[in-house]
Amino acid sequence: MILDNWSVHKTRAFRETAEKLNIELHFIPTSAPYYNKIELNLFGQMQKELLNGSNFNNIIELKE
């Protein structure tokens, strides 16, 4: 199973359950969010909608 690096995926209970079910866990690199479709689709869309109609030009300006 290919997973992102969400802390829940690394808990002892999660890993033990995967082992009991004979599921091998593989984590995508933390420096490669483009491998995670939800990062691209959901969060990207949220950023666009958040900035749409605002006075901010990008996420950095919004954070500031």
Side-chain angles (χ1 to χ4, degrees):
M1 180 180 289
I2 299 172
L3 304 162
D4 62 9
N5 286 283
W6 188 27
S7 60
V8 172
H9 296 153
K10 295 186 175 185
T11 62
R12 177 180 287 163
F14 191 90
R15 288 179 291 143
E16 287 175 354
T17 301
E19 188 175 334
K20 286 177 187 173
L21 297 172
N22 199 29
I23 297 173
E24 190 173 340
L25 303 177
H26 298 276
F27 295 94
I28 61 173
T30 55
S31 60
Y34 44 85
Y35 285 134
N36 187 343
K37 294 295 184 185
I38 196 164
E39 297 264 352
L40 293 175
N41 297 333
L42 178 63
F43 298 141
Q45 185 63 34
M46 287 173 61
Q47 283 185 4
K48 285 180 192 173
E49 289 183 20
L50 189 65
L51 291 172
N52 189 21
S54 74
N55 294 328
F56 304 106
N57 294 312
N58 55 48
I59 293 296
I60 295 169
E61 286 183 13
L62 177 64
K63 287 178 182 178
E64 291 174 352

